Amino acid sequence: MIVEADGGSRGNPGHAGYGALVRDPKTGAILVEKAGYIGIASNNVAEYSGLLAGLTLADEIDSGCRILVKMDSKLVVEQMSGRWKIKHADMQKLAGRARRIVDSRRVQYEWIPREKNKDADRLSNEAMDAGMAGVEWKPKSSPSPQEDSRPGENADVGGPRIASGTLHHVEIWIQDLNAARSSMGWLFERLGFLPKDSWENGASWAGNGTYLVLEAGPDVLSGPHERRRQGVNHLAFNAGTRAQVDLLARRAGSHGWTLLFRDRHPYAGGREHYAAYLENAEGFEVELVADQNAQ
């Protein structure tokens, strides 16, 4: 069986959750998935919690199977593989629990990059969203072992098509991480996105089942951002009532944003569309849209 697991903490320590799933090794189909909110905890505890859940799921399907665990946590993979010592007492307890769930001789560990662990990451974010909202996590859909994992081949082409994909995350490449944090990071948090992860060349904010990433580093080509070139022009966010949009637009001026289309504001998008269009010093644009049903 293939286990994919992840965990996250919004604040580290902060509101934390985990996600885990089991895949059929032949078809790649998801056989079962699970997520859970664990309260205030660190990233490491959340990641280990995802591992525990994944091992338990795989063992429940087949108590004699061999298991390949794939995670983007270098710490968990190296510690559970025996290459790194486990010094922290909490981590020692969690690793011990993992070894009691499944005989370690049946388990191999493989580190994978974050972008290849999207399903487990999605589950952990769903768990955190549910926990912070005070509700129990429930799967959005029940994976079926009988389903063909190749999308579209068995679809009912005669009936209406319903979009099954929701936005998972948006990754924005930038030159200056500190500048982007000051403008875009500030705005993300005012819009209700909470800090998720932070690393040398990037940071992320999560909320409402999705997350936003700011990424710098050597792979980002030099040169200014130009939103009028081919590609994504801007991000648009639901920003509450008209009064909330106005207040946020005013405050954004102190955090590197300027108002676009002043001569047509707040109806630059049309008479029925109340919104503020903002641009930061690096040339990135956002649109703050007011709820049409709120005053």
Side-chain angles (χ1 to χ4, degrees):
M1 297 291 177
I2 296 175
V3 167
E4 296 171 15
D6 198 11
S9 172
R10 296 174 181 172
N12 196 27
H15 292 280
Y18 66 83
L21 58 94
V22 179
R23 289 191 189 275
D24 184 303
K26 294 182 179 179
T27 67
I30 297 176
L31 304 179
V32 64
E33 58 185 24
K34 183 177 181 180
Y37 175 71
I38 58 175
I40 304 301
S42 68
N43 275 326
N44 292 339
V45 169
E47 288 165 344
Y48 261 104
S49 297
L51 170 63
L52 296 176
L55 291 174
T56 300
L57 291 173
D59 193 58
E60 288 174 348
I61 294 174
D62 185 348
S63 60
C65 70
R66 297 185 64 82
I67 301 170
L68 174 61
V69 175
K70 296 183 177 183
M71 299 182 69
D72 60 43
S73 170
K74 193 77 169 177
L75 176 82
V76 175
V77 168
E78 294 299 315
Q79 287 184 343
M80 292 303 299
S81 298
R83 291 185 288 269
W84 289 5
K85 291 183 178 180
I86 308 176
K87 299 179 181 180
H88 196 283
D90 289 343
M91 300 301 104
Q92 291 174 350
K93 293 177 182 178
L94 290 166
R97 286 178 58 189
R99 295 187 179 104
R100 288 192 294 273
I101 292 171
V102 176
D103 187 329
S104 58
R105 291 173 294 184
R106 290 169 48 201
V107 187
Q108 289 185 312
Y109 292 87
E110 178 184 335
W111 177 86
I112 56 175
R114 184 182 51 180
E115 60 269 20
K116 291 188 177 181
N117 203 28
K118 292 180 178 180
D119 285 312
D121 177 81
R122 166 183 56 82
L123 290 168
S124 67
N125 275 288
E126 288 178 6
M128 285 183 278
D129 289 340
M132 293 172 69
V135 299
E136 184 179 354
W137 173 83
K138 293 182 180 180
K140 294 184 177 180
S141 61
S142 298
S144 171
Q146 285 75 36
E147 289 180 359
D148 193 322
S149 62
R150 293 167 294 183
E153 291 188 7
N154 298 320
D156 182 5
V157 296
R161 301 300 299 271
I162 301 174
S164 59
T166 57
L167 186 64
H168 185 270
H169 74 278
V170 175
E171 186 164 322
I172 304 167
W173 282 23
I174 39 86
Q175 295 283 340
D176 187 332
L177 179 59
N178 289 330
R181 277 178 178 271
S182 297
S183 61
M184 285 191 278
W186 172 85
L187 184 59
F188 295 162
E189 292 178 28
R190 299 292 80 73
L191 291 165
F193 290 85
L194 297 176
K196 178 177 180 286
D197 294 314
S198 181
W199 57 99
E200 181 181 1
N201 294 320
S204 63
W205 289 259
N208 199 27
T210 188
Y211 65 93
L212 306 168
V213 180
L214 297 177
E215 181 97 42
D219 291 333
V220 181
L221 299 178
S222 60
H225 170 72
E226 176 48 75
R227 58 185 170 80
R228 292 169 295 183
R229 292 194 180 127
Q230 180 172 268
V232 175
N233 176 265
H234 69 277
L235 300 180
F237 297 93
N238 293 309
T241 65
R242 293 183 178 188
Q244 289 172 320
V245 167
D246 293 340
L247 179 61
L248 188 54
R250 289 197 301 270
R251 289 180 174 174
S254 299
H255 297 272
W257 296 95
T258 57
L259 184 66
L260 295 171
F261 318 120
R262 287 181 178 274
D263 59 330
R264 289 178 281 151
H265 174 76
Y267 297 107
R271 294 303 303 174
E272 302 298 322
H273 187 75
Y274 195 103
Y277 294 81
L278 305 175
E279 182 182 41
N280 70 2
E282 286 73 37
F284 289 94
E285 179 186 343
V286 297
E287 178 183 351
L288 307 178
V289 182
D291 184 352
Q292 292 185 352
N293 298 318
Q295 297 299 319

